[in-house]
């Protein structure tokens, strides 16, 4: 199909226009461009200045952020990123994995829809920015866009801020495309099945079955739950559905929360404290997974498989099995394509 055409009934001198397409835009959190101080500072400043992430009044938070957090945290965060950095591609694992996910989604979409759709990705923080990608998709003929945040569970600090940025980008477009926002997919049968397959695959290769599987989700202040954020409830339902799909008992999977930041009480139990308690209670062989992350990143590779592993082993643990995120596994790509296809209905049906 030609990329440009002359509209029917248009005069002969009418300039060619881009042939209409449907855009599929997936979005993830983002990543620093490098591990040096200034790259980390730029990324952390954008991330921690987002009112969806830290909702303290600007007059109170910004001085703390600029004078204290951003003078020290870039060093420690840079060290954490360096421990997992993809040095060959000079990018973070999240970026590497997201590119692979998008390549797989493009292939799957092309097989199903031909050249009627365009698949791309953006990051809420850092590059490629939502603004740049939306502008490019519109320029290349996307008159309709399905926006898919790659967060299975809804949270204001992830899902909502991704949507906010997408809407901000649309505000600058003179001829806005029609848009749809794919809903969170925490209980989608294909997503649950993909999680279960990842557990079964890892367990099948172990000499000894772990005493318990810990499902560690990214945390958030408990106050957000009390203010109506459904994240905690959706995490709990994900774990229940996973347990049912695996055919396990309630004692076989624990739910915990990681990445505590700031002085407030966060969702509990905290992962690092929980795994330490497990080891001291005699459960010295555990497996752990992070169902809230669609791609392995610093929170899973460095925090879970690094810091939390070390805490567990230091407390007397014997084996710590990390189950990777779904990343670009075939079952995950198939699940995402189901979510996308469901949200394309009425626009393109195959």
């Amino acid at each position: 199909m030609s990329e440009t055409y002359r509209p029917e009934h248009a005069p002969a001198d009418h300039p060619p226009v881009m042939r209409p397409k449907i855009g599929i835009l997936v979005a993830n959190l983002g990543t620093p461009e490098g591990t040096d101080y200034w790259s980390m500072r730029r990324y952390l400043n954008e991330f921690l200045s987002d009112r969806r992430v830290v909702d303290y009044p600007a007059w109170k938070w910004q001085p703390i952020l600029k004078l204290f957090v951003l003078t020290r945290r870039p060093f420690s965060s840079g060290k954490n990123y360096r421990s997992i950095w993809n040095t060959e591609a000079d990018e973070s694992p999240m970026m590497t994995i997201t590119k692979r996910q998008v390549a797989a989604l493009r292939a799957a979409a092309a097989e199903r829809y031909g050249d009627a759709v365009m698949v791309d990705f953006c990051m809420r923080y850092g590059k490629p920015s939502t603004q740049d990608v939306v502008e490019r998709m519109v320029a290349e003929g996307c008159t309709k866009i399905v926006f898919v945040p790659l967060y299975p569970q809804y949270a204001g600090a992830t899902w909502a801020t991704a949507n906010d940025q997408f809407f901000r980008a649309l505000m600058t477009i003179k001829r806005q495309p029609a848009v749809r926002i794919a809903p969170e997919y925490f209980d989608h049968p294909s997503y649950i099945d993909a999680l279960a397959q990842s557990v079964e695959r890892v367990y099948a290769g172990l000499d000894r079955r772990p005493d318990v599987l810990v499902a560690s989700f990214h945390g958030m202040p408990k106050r957000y739950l009390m203010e109506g954020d459904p994240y905690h409830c959706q995490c709990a339902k994900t774990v229940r559905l996973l347990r049912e799909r695996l055919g396990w008992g309630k004692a076989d999977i624990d739910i915990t929360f990681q990445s505590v930041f700031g002085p407030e009480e966060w969702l509990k139990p905290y992962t690092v404290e929980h795994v330490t308690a497990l080891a001291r209670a005699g459960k010295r062989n555990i497996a752990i997974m992070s169902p809230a992350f669609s791609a392995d990143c610093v929170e899973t590779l460095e925090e879970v498989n690094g810091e939390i592993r070390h805490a567990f082993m230091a407390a007397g643990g014997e084996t710590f099995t990390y189950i990777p995120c779904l990343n670009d596994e075939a079952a995950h790509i198939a699940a995402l394509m189901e979510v996308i296809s469901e949200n394309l209905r009425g626009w393109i049906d195959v």
Side-chain angles (χ1 to χ4, degrees), residues 17 20 46 66 75 99 123 133 153 205 226 249 291 305 344 348:
V17 297
E46 184 180 10
K66 296 296 194 297
F75 292 108
K99 289 177 179 177
M123 297 295 189
V133 179
Q153 297 81 20
M226 307 312 294
N305 204 26
L344 285 174
I348 181 171

Side-chain angles (χ1 to χ4, degrees), residues 97-328:
I97 293 166
T98 302
K99 289 177 179 177
R100 294 203 305 255
Q101 290 173 327
V102 171
L105 288 172
R106 280 177 181 149
E111 181 178 356
R112 182 163 186 172
Y113 301 115
D115 55 5
V117 301
M118 171 184 178
V119 181
D120 213 331
F121 78 97
C122 64
M123 297 295 189
R124 170 59 183 90
Y125 313 105
K127 298 178 180 179
S129 71
T130 307
Q131 180 76 44
D132 289 346
V133 179
V134 169
E135 289 178 357
R136 180 170 68 248
M137 295 183 84
V138 171
E140 294 188 19
C142 290
T143 58
K144 300 173 181 177
I145 297 177
V146 173
F147 186 64
V148 188
L150 292 178
Y151 309 107
Q153 297 81 20
Y154 178 97
T158 54
W159 195 279
T161 191
N163 289 342
D164 291 345
Q165 200 72 349
F166 180 55
F167 297 143
R168 290 187 192 101
L170 292 173
M171 290 172 64
T172 69
I173 305 294
K174 288 200 177 297
R175 176 62 172 92
Q176 290 181 329
V179 300
R180 290 176 177 173
I181 309 297
E184 60 269 28
Y185 51 95
F186 67 98
D187 58 354
H188 196 289
S190 293
Y191 162 69
I192 298 298
D193 190 58
L195 287 177
Q197 287 185 45
S198 72
V199 174
E200 291 167 339
R201 182 169 54 252
V202 170
Y203 270 46
L206 298 177
D207 295 329
R208 174 178 176 177
R209 179 184 173 90
D211 299 319
V212 65
L213 170 63
V214 177
S216 178
F217 291 82
H218 198 288
M220 69 162 52
K222 183 179 178 180
R223 172 172 55 87
Y224 290 12
L225 167 65
M226 307 312 294
E227 292 172 349
D229 195 300
Y231 178 71
H232 180 272
C233 299
Q234 293 186 1
C235 292
K237 187 173 182 180
T238 294
V239 171
R240 176 176 64 80
L241 293 174
L242 174 61
R243 175 173 52 79
E244 293 173 355
R245 161 61 179 78
L246 290 168
W248 292 2
K250 290 184 177 180
D252 293 324
I253 306 181
D254 293 343
I255 181 172
T256 64
F257 298 90
Q258 63 185 81
S259 307
V260 177
F261 174 78
E264 289 190 72
E265 179 184 358
W266 281 40
L267 298 177
K268 290 182 176 179
Y270 299 148
T271 302
V272 66
E273 294 179 359
H274 187 72
V275 300
T276 299
L278 285 175
R280 291 172 178 166
K283 293 186 177 181
R284 297 189 173 91
N285 303 281
I286 68 170
I288 190 164
M289 67 189 307
S290 299
F293 297 92
S294 62
D296 274 306
C297 54
V298 70
E299 285 88 352
T300 65
L301 298 175
E302 193 282 328
E303 184 178 2
V304 172
N305 204 26
E307 296 176 23
I308 292 171
R309 173 192 287 272
H310 176 76
F312 175 73
M313 301 303 285
E318 296 176 3
T319 60
F320 181 102
T321 301
Y322 174 64
I323 300 175
C325 293
L326 295 178
N327 297 327
D328 59 337

Side-chain angles (χ1 to χ4, degrees), residues 24-40:
I24 300 167
L25 178 56
V26 298
N28 212 326
L29 183 76
T31 170
E33 294 181 79
T35 62
D36 60 281
Y37 174 83
W38 290 109
S39 294
M40 293 304 312

